Amino acid sequence: MPGYKGHIAGALCAAGLLGLGLWFLGLLPRDWLTLAGLTGFCLVGALFPDIDTKSKGQYLFYAALLAVDAGLLLQKSYEWAAYLGLAAIIPGVTPHRGWTHSVWSMLLIPQAVWAVPVFLYDRPAADFLPYALALGLGYFSHLLLDGELLGRGGRRMK
């Protein structure tokens, strides 16, 4: 199983594939901030499954969340800061390789990226769908590199 560096590399590959897919469909954003955001969501997705254990990946993940949460508080976006804080706490009270290393989590966690703005704030789903996809691709890269997608009885990737 790769460490945090391997998962970061996997996330960058996933971000590249997402970029190629969006370019092929003619949907690639032209501004660097959006591209950086999509890459960031891939990175967060790739590090998320390991935040339930003390690691360098956990440290990087929570450092990024702290920066984003501080930015939300400075912008007086208290509700968004609260949602982010709640989401950050949940993995800390669960066992390692529990629910965070499941295909179900890979499918459900990214849904919150678009479901919260869509259902609670009546925002257009299309605005948040690329970010949910980026998070899901990063998550997928983590599970793929850990060999979790082969099933518990399958051959593990080393």
Side-chain angles (χ1 to χ4, degrees), residues 78-98:
Y78 302 121
E79 282 187 69
W80 289 107
Y83 288 128
L84 184 60
L86 178 63
I89 291 170
I90 295 169
V93 295
T94 61
H96 182 55
R97 292 208 171 261

Side-chain angles (χ1 to χ4, degrees), residues 21-38:
L22 291 173
W23 174 77
F24 182 74
L25 295 171
L27 302 172
L28 185 66
R30 300 275 187 238
D31 65 290
W32 290 102
L33 187 59
T34 302
L35 291 172
L38 291 171

Side-chain angles (χ1 to χ4, degrees), residues 5 7 10 12-13 15 36 39 41-43 47 69-70 78-79 83 85 89 94 102 109 114 133 137 153:
K5 290 179 184 178
H7 288 306
L12 293 175
C13 288
T39 302
F41 271 79
C42 276
L43 289 166
L47 293 175
D69 213 33
Y78 302 121
E79 282 187 69
Y83 288 128
I89 291 170
T94 61
S102 71
I109 298 294
W114 71 266
L133 182 60
L137 284 173

Side-chain angles (χ1 to χ4, degrees), residues 131-150:
Y131 297 98
L133 182 60
L135 186 71
L137 284 173
Y139 213 120
F140 175 82
S141 74
H142 183 105
L143 296 183
L144 182 67
L145 289 172
D146 274 4
E148 295 292 326
L149 297 177
L150 297 174

